[in-house]
Structure formats: structure tokens, C-alpha cells
């Protein structure tokens, strides 16, 4: 949550219960997605340079779960 607050330049995330639930679902999907992406990249590790693997992961990480949510700064 702290990292997501920093990415959206929000001092403190204030969410109601429904927004918190949506956030937790988004975080869980994000975590499972990153694990899946790493598994796929490992299948190609003999053909991808470490730089390419890092770039793929960094590109994916730039789009946090908060990026797809419309959270107001409070």
C-alpha cells in the first residue's frame, strides 16, 4: 500500500470498505500475474539476456494495481 501511495503521489490512501476490497483483489491479481510472468520468462532464460528479463519485469511493475483504479487524492 505504501508503494502504491507513492506511485500515485498520495500522502494517505483513504478508501471505504468496497474500495479496500477492490484494492486487495487487484493486488492479489497483480502478484499472481508477476509470478506467472517470471515463470514464463524463466522458460526463455536460455534465449533472453538478463537485461531483457529485467526490462520486461520493470515494464510490468510500472503499471501497479493503483494505475487502473480511479483513486482520489484526499
Amino acid at each position: 500500500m505504501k508503494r502504491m501511495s507513492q506511485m500515485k503521489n498520495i500522502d494517505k490512501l483513504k478508501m471505504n470498505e468496497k474500495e479496500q476490497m477492490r484494492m486487495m483483489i487487484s493486488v492479489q491479481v497483480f502478484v499472481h500475474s508477476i509470478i506467472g510472468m517470471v515463470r514464463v520468462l524463466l522458460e526463455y532464460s536460455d534465449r533472453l539476456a538478463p537485461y531483457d528479463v529485467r526490462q520486461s519485469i520493470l515494464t510490468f511493475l510500472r503499471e501497479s494495481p493503483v494505475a487502473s483504479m480511479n483513486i482520489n487524492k484526499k
Side-chain angles (χ1 to χ4, degrees):
M1 293 294 279
K2 183 177 179 181
R3 180 176 179 268
M4 288 185 275
S5 294
Q6 291 170 346
M7 289 180 73
K8 291 292 269 190
N9 295 319
I10 302 170
D11 291 331
K12 186 174 182 180
L13 286 177
K14 294 182 182 179
M15 296 181 278
N16 62 34
E17 187 176 339
K18 186 174 182 177
E19 291 170 328
Q20 288 176 0
M21 183 180 65
R22 286 181 50 222
M23 173 63 74
M24 292 312 299
I25 291 169
S26 294
V27 168
Q28 289 174 7
V29 168
F30 180 78
V31 168
H32 288 283
S33 296
I34 193 81
I35 291 168
M37 184 184 68
V38 170
R39 285 181 179 159
V40 169
L41 290 171
L42 287 173
E43 291 178 22
Y44 295 94
S45 63
D46 59 333
R47 291 175 269 172
L48 290 172
Y51 175 82
D52 296 325
V53 172
R54 282 193 311 272
Q55 287 305 110
S56 295
I57 293 170
L58 288 173
T59 298
F60 188 83
L61 288 174
R62 282 188 204 111
E63 295 299 320
S64 74
V66 173
S68 64
M69 297 182 68
N70 187 15
I71 297 177
N72 297 325
K73 294 180 183 181
K74 294 182 181 179

